[in-house]
Amino acid sequence: MLTKRIIPCLDIKDGRTVKGVNFVNLRDAGDPVELAQRYASEGADELVFLDISASEEKRKTLAKLVRDVAQSIDIPFTVGGGINAMDDVGILLDNGADKVSINSAAVRRPALINEISNRFGTQCVVVAIDVKQIATELVVYLIGGKLPTERKLFSWAKEAVERGAGELLFTSMDHDGTKRGFANTALRQLSKVVTVPVIASGGAGTMQHFIDTFVEGNADAALAASVFHFKEISIPELKNELRLHKIPIR
């Protein structure tokens, strides 16, 4: 059985780590390089860096900050935000990213997934999917959760994997920052629909929520931000708790 992964997420705006609720009401959470170093030393399995305003502001991801973070850690590092072309990917990989996360650009031009995976390998491509429930539909949103699309979660996830996504980062906007648990029903269904690892994002508040998403949601990894940033949950203690519940971890 593949081991489950714990992944802190650095949401970056104006060079600082921020965290909000349902994608709004952002508050400062600290220096991204210092946080990255802390998580690597505490035993995080990977790190995700998302420049959350890059797409909205129509600019590139902060390459220098990516390099500074990459040089300070020794764990796999995924970077997203403002990636629209192959050159953007090359710059981020050259500055120390191990993988790139694409969201808005992938929905607007799905062939970008094919191009990145063909050139750099599927293991390099994480397709992030931000979803909000509208009536009975799980609707895909772009631009940091500001723009609804015609896309629906499961059909888009299948297409993304068929085009070369090596991993999916599924964020439930309804659960984001609420600390009421992950969207495990949708996660479980998503894990049946696709053949690549699924990262759960949005809703972590307690250690039990991580247990639930691995057991009930069948997630391959769990991503969280504020519970780690503000030291509400420590990664070493979380991993000990997961071991007690016989959940395979690194």
Side-chain angles (χ1 to χ4, degrees):
M1 181 183 293
L2 290 176
T3 54
K4 307 294 188 178
R5 289 168 287 148
I6 301 297
I7 306 177
C9 180
L10 304 179
D11 291 322
I12 307 298
K13 184 175 175 61
D14 302 324
R16 296 286 291 179
T17 308
V18 296
K19 187 62 191 119
V21 177
N22 305 129
F23 283 40
V24 296
N25 300 324
L26 302 178
R27 61 173 171 151
D28 189 89
D31 177 78
V33 176
E34 292 176 2
L35 285 171
Q37 290 173 327
R38 190 181 103 204
Y39 295 139
S41 68
E42 288 179 352
D45 298 300
E46 297 187 19
L47 187 71
V48 168
F49 172 118
L50 298 176
D51 188 346
I52 61 173
S53 56
S55 292
E56 183 180 13
E57 296 170 3
K58 296 182 172 59
R59 59 169 173 76
K60 303 304 182 186
T61 307
L62 306 170
K64 181 184 182 301
L65 185 54
V66 169
R67 183 169 67 252
D68 291 343
V69 170
Q71 290 175 345
S72 70
I73 61 175
D74 58 359
I75 56 176
F77 179 34
T78 299
V79 178
I83 298 169
N84 295 294
M86 293 290 285
D87 288 347
D88 301 333
V89 177
I91 289 169
L92 294 174
L93 296 179
D94 287 344
N95 279 279
D98 298 288
K99 306 180 227 181
V100 294
S101 171
I102 54 175
N103 187 340
S104 299
V107 173
R108 288 172 170 153
R109 193 171 72 83
L112 181 62
I113 304 172
N114 303 73
E115 293 167 7
I116 297 172
S117 63
N118 287 340
R119 179 168 173 183
F120 298 106
T122 58
Q123 81 290 338
C124 180
V125 187
V126 179
V127 172
I129 307 178
D130 297 334
V131 171
K132 188 173 185 178
Q133 183 153 348
I134 305 296
T136 60
E137 299 280 8
L138 293 172
V139 177
V140 175
Y141 274 65
L142 306 184
I143 315 297
K146 294 179 174 63
L147 180 67
T149 72
E150 298 297 316
R151 296 276 191 174
K152 306 302 185 294
L153 171 60
F154 301 116
S155 58
W156 171 231
K158 286 175 67 174
E159 180 179 342
V161 172
E162 288 167 357
R163 287 181 175 275
E167 200 162 15
L168 299 178
L169 170 54
F170 164 56
T171 301
S172 167
M173 293 173 59
D174 300 301
H175 291 70
D176 176 72
T178 64
K179 300 184 182 179
R180 295 198 295 262
F182 294 93
N184 293 322
T185 301
L187 280 161
R188 177 171 284 278
Q189 189 171 348
L190 184 59
S191 71
K192 293 177 181 176
V193 167
V194 298
T195 56
V196 301
V198 175
I199 305 169
S201 170
T206 68
M207 293 192 199
Q208 186 63 46
H209 292 154
F210 287 87
I211 295 166
D212 292 343
T213 203
F214 290 138
V215 175
E216 298 172 15
N218 203 27
D220 297 279
L223 178 146
S226 62
V227 292
F228 296 142
H229 299 339
F230 303 116
K231 300 186 178 180
E232 296 163 31
I233 295 176
S234 86
I235 292 173
E237 290 175 1
L238 173 57
K239 287 198 163 186
N240 285 337
E241 190 69 14
L242 293 173
R243 288 187 188 97
L244 290 174
H245 285 79
K246 308 296 190 237
I247 294 170
I249 57 170
R250 297 180 182 179

